[in-house]
Amino acid sequence: MEFNIVDKLLAITSLGSEWVLWLLLALSVISLGVIVERLIFYARIRLDFVNFSREVTRRLIDNDIDGIKGMCSTSASIESQTILRGLEYKERGVDAMEQSMTGFLFGEKQKLDHGLVILGTLGSNAPFIGLFGTVIGIIQAFSDLATNPAGGPSVVMAGISEALIATAVGLIVAIPAVIAFNGFQRVVRRKLSNAEAMKNLVIAHFSE
């Protein structure tokens, strides 16, 4: 018996494109979940950095280390926690302070990036998944025409219009994911830059 790969692939298209729509729906739920979780997380570590850095600078000039500790301990922001981590190693010298803050920032970067790979992947691939569903639908439409020639072009047009829905849904899933991914990436870069600035400010104060 001769193996015909085309016939095997055509058999797959008989499943239709509806399962692709269900897949895209599931991916949209995942994307929305990640977006909401990230919004809550970034809101929790939000900080008025301009006023915060100004106050930290003033207290460093006044050598009010206890005041800085008290101010930073009330905030969950990465900037304030970076300062606290450095001050914990104050007695061990500037090098220990710098290394402790650098290590802390590496760990915090993973927390800041959590879930963003999902948004990036969905934003890049959801349109292709939708296009795949459209191609399957178009193949199925022409297959229906071949088995029912009397139906005429209306059979094909109806099938193609249904198939194009998959591409539209793919774009609907991808666009918010891309927007959120780019926005969150900007937040991550800004938070890490701010924390790095605070690290340098503290190190400069305690350097001889």
Side-chain angles (χ1 to χ4, degrees):
M1 183 177 179
E2 185 179 355
F3 177 79
N4 191 324
I5 189 172
V6 175
D7 291 339
K8 298 297 183 182
L9 292 176
L10 286 175
I12 296 176
T13 64
S14 64
L15 297 174
S17 58
E18 184 177 355
W19 67 271
V20 177
L21 295 176
W22 282 108
L23 174 60
L24 289 171
L25 179 61
L27 293 177
S28 69
V29 172
I30 294 174
S31 176
L32 181 61
V34 173
I35 291 172
V36 171
E37 187 274 334
R38 288 290 87 186
L39 286 173
I40 295 173
F41 175 79
Y42 294 136
R44 186 174 62 84
I45 61 173
R46 188 175 180 180
L47 179 71
D48 183 355
F49 181 70
V50 173
N51 290 330
F52 175 79
S53 61
R54 184 182 297 117
E55 184 65 17
V56 170
T57 301
R58 185 185 67 79
R59 290 176 184 265
L60 283 174
I61 293 174
D62 295 338
N63 205 30
D64 184 12
I65 306 304
D66 290 336
I68 295 176
K69 287 182 178 180
M71 182 177 65
C72 293
S73 62
T74 60
S75 172
S77 68
I78 184 175
E79 296 91 342
S80 60
Q81 294 303 309
T82 299
I83 293 175
L84 281 179
R85 181 58 59 92
L87 294 179
E88 288 176 359
Y89 286 80
K90 181 169 65 72
E91 303 302 327
R92 301 185 183 183
V94 174
D95 288 341
M97 293 176 66
E98 183 174 8
Q99 291 178 18
S100 67
M101 286 188 283
T102 300
F104 175 77
L105 286 177
F106 276 124
E108 289 301 299
K109 186 179 186 303
Q110 297 182 18
K111 294 180 182 179
L112 292 171
D113 286 336
H114 178 72
L116 298 190
V117 65
I118 296 176
L119 295 179
T121 301
L122 290 180
S124 300
N125 294 285
F128 294 106
I129 297 174
L131 182 60
F132 176 66
T134 295
V135 171
I136 291 177
I138 291 175
I139 293 174
Q140 188 179 28
F142 280 100
S143 177
D144 292 341
L145 179 62
T147 58
N148 183 24
S154 60
V155 175
V156 179
M157 292 300 102
I160 292 177
S161 63
E162 293 179 4
L164 289 174
I165 295 176
T167 297
V169 174
L171 292 173
I172 291 173
V173 174
I175 292 173
V178 170
I179 294 174
F181 176 78
N182 291 334
F184 291 156
Q185 283 279 66
R186 183 173 180 272
V187 172
V188 171
R189 289 194 297 268
R190 186 174 68 248
K191 298 295 286 185
L192 290 175
S193 177
N194 291 346
E196 190 71 25
M198 289 295 94
K199 183 188 82 170
N200 293 335
L201 180 63
V202 172
I203 294 300
H205 176 78
F206 287 96
S207 297
E208 295 181 357

